Structures are given as structure tokens and as C-alpha cells.
Amino acid sequence: MRHIDPLSISDAVRTAVQKINTDIDPLILKAFKAGQSKGDEIESQVLDILIKNADIAHEQHLPLCQDTGLVVIFASVGIGVSLSEPLEASIQRGVAQGYIEGYLRKSVVRDPLYDRKNTGDNTPALVYIDLVEGDQMTLHIMAKGGGSENASALNMFTPSDQEEAIITWVVDRIRQKGRNTCPPLIIGLGIGGNFETCALLAKKSLGRPIGQRNGNRSYAELELKIMQALNDLNIGAGGYGGHMTVMDVFIETAPCHIASLPVALNIGCHSTRHATVTL
Amino acid sequence: MRKLVLPPTETDLNELHKGDFVLLSGTLYSARDAAHARLVALISDGKPLPILIDGQAIYYMGPSPAPPDQIAGSAGPTTSSRMDKYTPLLLEKGLKVMLGKGARSEEVAQAIAAHKAVYLGSIGGAGAYLGKCITSIRCVAFEDLGPEAIYELTVIDLPAFVL
């Protein structure tokens, strides 16, 4: 067994949550710059502000967005790893330290309905743990904003529905809500599994690098079809019109029940923040 | 490029047109869901408000904390439609400018027109850039709400579109 020190786990989380909040994903910055040369005057102006925003955030260690997110962590833990405290405890400690020392906004309330008091340290983060081969631990760390999350949706299609039904549903949702969710967006679609699995697939897909297609040719084509349909909506970067409504569409799939075709749509904003740390 | 000083005069507001890109300077108040709920509850109970609403501007925003060497943290707009249920009452009380992001409900759009107010959209997610437009920030009400408290903000050249 290989022991991983709990302090090294919390330190890794503490550092990562700060870095992803101040340093934009380089592929997103590249997409802004590419979009700027194609956009009309208003969209170019918006993209110019977003590029300057990324520069200021990096240089002055300010968060890209005041909504510094609810932290979601997918932990893949090797079966050869030994720990001296529950993994969840190490992670939560790192999140609290990172949000306090990084001057990040605390955006978590302790009760959803009756007692919405801020917990004060952005915990609890949401942690999903998978056991895998090996003696290492990989943490996929996200800081997910509330605006784009609020516009996300889940629909239980049935097997008689074809891809057109899914495209229409996604396009309608983005037409209605896209302007609220800080475009240009990253669209995560989880197809298959069941009610909760499709949502997790959609969430995980947001961590994929921009430009990387699904390994299955049919789904890769569907990603591109949906991207085209969404960019035809003329929502644009910032939501004031333009060709750059989404930067990419990612589909992840899983086997499902013979009666079902669950689909979840998770929306990532133009600061979609994620990092992968291996310990 | 048009400039707008906050709080605005009636003439300033009359000169604005849908689609105008404006640079905002002057004083406005931040307020999100929780602060709106409290303001509306105080109005309903006939109690005094902690800030002046009449003629003023509200920014739908909850900042990140200011690092020690900086005036403000990150400070971009939040989704305006979450404030829709509270907005008609604040417009009745004289609110003139709302700054946020995204579309408003039909009811709010009508109330904005009826009260000759204006709704502006800034650049969602450009929090660091917009935070740099803040020249002073001071908590003036509901401090217990943390980032959702009401802050009095002085801004210079904060970009927004007239919606």
C-alpha cells in the first residue's frame, strides 16, 4: 500500500481551487481570441473585455468571476492507496483553506430552503469517489458557478425519441436561458445511465479539453451538429448577439435501461474552471 | 461612446436608447436575492429602508472579498431574472436603474417602461475587469448576509448595454 499524507491532499486542493479561479483555461482564452477576429463590433467588444478580464485576474490574483463557484471533485482513488483520515475530510479542509486565503467568495448556504445561512468557508464541496487500479489518486477539481448551473436541465426521453428530439430540447433550453449563463458556453450532455448518472456524466464532460471530440463517431458528429445549431441562435459572447454562443459541446454516454433515454444538460460558463491533480 | 452618471437625472434617462453601449460612473448599490427579500419585507411592513431607493441605481452583484492590497474583489453581474418578483415594488418606490445580466420577465419590462426606469446589462463573468471599475466600496446594510449584503459602490467607466 502507498500512503498519501492527508495534508498533501488538502494542500493540493487548496492550491488548485485558487489557481482555477484566477487563471483562465488557456483553451478558453484561445477560443476568445479566435472568436474576436470573426465577431461583429459588439461581440468583439465583449470578447475584448473578457480577454482583459483574464489578464487582470491572472496578474492581480483576482478571481475571473465574483461567483467563485461550488467546488465539485471527482476523486479516482487507486486500490493500493492508504489514507489516515477519510478523503472527504482532507478535501473539505483544502477547500475551506483555499477559499479563505485566496479571497474567493463563499457561495454555499447550509440549508437550501429554510435556513440559507452562508457556511462561511465555501464548504461543503461535493465529492464523488471512484476506486480504480493502481496506487495513485487523481482529483478532478471544478468550481461551478451558480448562474450556468441554474439553467441546466434533465429530461427523461424515451427510446422512440431520435437525435432530433435531443437537439431540439437543447436548442430550446439555450434559446430561453443562454443569455443568463455567461456565454460563450461549454455544453455538457450526459446521455444514458439513469436519472442521476446522466447528470454526473454531463458534469464530468465539462472537464474535457475544448476541441476534443467523443471517441464514438456518431456522438462526435452529434456534438458538432448541436454546436452549429446553438451558434446559429445569435446569442453571442456576452449574450448581446453574435456567432459565438458556445465554445464546444461535449457528450458522454452510458448504457441504460430498455425503457429509458435519460439526457442531462449541464451548462458551463465562459470561465468553466477545472484542474486535474495526481498524487 | 455614451457616458451615464449615477444616480441619473430624468434627462439622462430620456436620452438612452435600447442597444446603447454606456460607461457608468457614480454611485450605486449592490443587492442580490437575499437583500431584495429583506427590502421588500421592510416595505411590506411599512418600516424604513436602510438605503434610499428613490431615483437610485441597483447592481445585481455579490462581490468576492477584496484582497488586502486592492479596493474591491471581483464584481460582475448576477442573473437579473431572480430579482423579477421583487422589482415592481422597488420601481414603485422610485428605483430608476437596474444593472445585471440576462432577460427580464414581461411584467418587469412593463413596470420598467411605466416608471420610466432603465435596465442595463453588463458583461456576465467579467468580474475582475468590472471589479477594477470600483473606486470605493462600503457595506451599508445587512452585513450578516456577507457577499449578499448591500454595498454602496462608487464606479468609474463600468461598461453596460441598455436593454
Side-chain angles (χ1 to χ4, degrees):
Chain A
M1 298 292 276
R2 179 173 160 261
H3 181 71
I4 299 181
D5 177 12
L7 287 181
S8 71
I9 299 168
S10 42
D11 275 353
V13 171
R14 180 181 65 124
T15 308
V17 295
Q18 293 180 68
K19 187 169 165 52
I20 59 178
N21 266 295
T22 56
D23 290 5
I24 199 165
D25 175 343
L27 293 173
I28 292 181
L29 189 59
K30 198 174 148 192
F32 289 169
K33 289 178 176 167
Q36 206 183 14
S37 58
K38 285 189 280 179
D40 65 8
E41 194 188 330
I42 288 180
E43 190 171 47
S44 292
Q45 215 160 8
V46 169
L47 288 168
D48 183 55
I49 288 175
L50 295 183
I51 291 165
K52 285 179 179 150
N53 187 62
D55 290 344
I56 293 169
H58 173 71
E59 283 162 15
Q60 307 200 22
H61 298 288
L62 275 176
L64 291 154
C65 177
Q66 74 291 336
D67 180 355
T68 52
L70 170 63
V71 177
V72 180
I73 296 185
F74 294 99
S76 302
V77 183
I79 51 176
V81 167
S82 81
L83 298 169
S84 48
E85 72 173 2
L87 177 56
E88 171 102 20
S90 313
I91 287 176
Q92 301 297 355
R93 188 171 55 242
V95 169
Q97 288 170 343
Y99 273 73
I100 290 168
E101 98 184 8
Y103 295 92
L104 303 178
R105 196 180 79 181
K106 320 314 178 280
S107 308
V108 179
V109 291
R110 66 185 176 191
D111 177 88
L113 187 57
Y114 297 116
D115 184 16
R116 294 184 63 92
K117 189 170 168 25
N118 199 302
T119 61
D121 60 9
N122 219 50
T123 64
L126 304 178
V127 182
Y128 302 95
I129 300 172
D130 275 332
L131 290 179
V132 297
E133 293 287 342
D135 60 1
Q136 290 189 321
M137 176 191 305
T138 303
L139 302 175
H140 301 280
I141 302 169
M142 298 180 172
K144 188 69 180 64
S148 51
E149 196 73 0
N150 278 353
S152 299
L154 193 153
N155 194 43
M156 302 302 282
F157 287 88
T158 54
S160 66
D161 289 313
Q162 304 291 310
E163 68 166 37
E164 277 311 317
I166 295 173
I167 296 172
T168 304
W169 176 72
V170 172
V171 170
D172 284 348
R173 188 74 187 170
I174 299 302
R175 186 187 288 116
Q176 288 165 22
K177 303 278 187 179
R179 282 185 174 78
N180 295 348
T181 56
C182 293
L185 307 172
I186 293 179
I187 302 296
L189 283 174
I191 304 181
N194 61 1
F195 185 75
E196 80 276 5
T197 302
C198 67
L200 285 171
L201 289 171
K203 176 76 70 201
K204 274 187 188 170
S205 79
L206 295 177
R208 205 198 284 171
I210 289 180
Q212 187 181 307
R213 298 270 61 82
N214 187 296
N216 173 297
R217 194 168 154 194
S218 301
Y219 288 110
E221 283 173 10
L222 182 56
E223 289 173 341
L224 294 174
K225 265 186 219 172
I226 294 173
M227 183 152 59
Q228 184 63 52
L230 294 176
N231 281 331
D232 287 344
L233 286 173
N234 192 34
I235 289 173
Y240 300 109
H243 74 285
M244 200 174 168
T245 303
V246 302
M247 292 182 281
D248 213 337
V249 175
F250 299 134
I251 296 174
E252 293 294 330
T253 64
C256 68
H257 191 282
I258 52 172
S260 300
L261 175 48
V263 181
L265 162 63
N266 198 199
I267 300 173
C269 64
H270 61 63
S271 289
T272 297
R273 294 157 291 208
H274 53 93
T276 301
V277 181
T278 300
L279 295 164
Chain B
M1 193 166 309
R2 189 177 279 279
K3 299 217 173 200
L4 178 66
V5 174
L6 302 175
T9 65
E10 210 178 306
T11 320
D12 292 339
L13 292 183
N14 286 338
E15 284 174 359
L16 295 177
H17 299 100
K18 273 199 168 128
D20 283 353
F21 184 60
V22 292
L23 293 176
L24 307 172
S25 295
T27 305
L28 72 171
Y29 297 97
S30 73
R32 293 170 45 100
D33 316 52
H36 273 76
R38 287 197 190 177
L39 289 174
V40 165
L42 288 171
I43 294 169
S44 305
D45 294 347
K47 291 184 178 157
L49 297 182
I51 57 165
L52 184 68
I53 297 288
D54 193 12
Q56 300 295 314
I58 284 182
Y59 184 14
Y60 302 141
M61 189 276 293
S64 66
D69 54 340
Q70 307 202 34
I71 293 168
S74 191
T78 196
T79 307
S80 305
S81 58
R82 294 202 316 274
M83 269 46 81
D84 279 354
K85 65 185 279 197
Y86 309 110
T87 299
L89 186 58
L90 295 182
L91 288 165
E92 271 177 41
K93 294 291 166 191
L95 178 66
K96 283 298 174 205
V97 178
M98 291 140 286
L99 174 63
K101 65 165 173 157
R104 309 303 302 260
S105 68
E106 188 51 39
E107 186 200 354
V108 168
Q110 284 174 11
I112 288 170
H115 290 93
K116 296 195 163 94
V118 62
Y119 170 53
L120 306 169
S122 191
I123 316 296
Y129 182 97
L130 297 169
K132 288 285 144 199
C133 301
I134 295 175
T135 55
S136 77
I137 177 167
R138 181 171 69 99
C139 183
V140 290
F142 312 145
E143 196 165 4
D144 61 299
L145 294 178
E148 296 212 74
I150 296 183
Y151 294 89
E152 184 188 76
L153 310 165
T154 312
V155 299
I156 185 156
D157 289 344
L158 190 152
F161 293 93
V162 179
L163 299 178

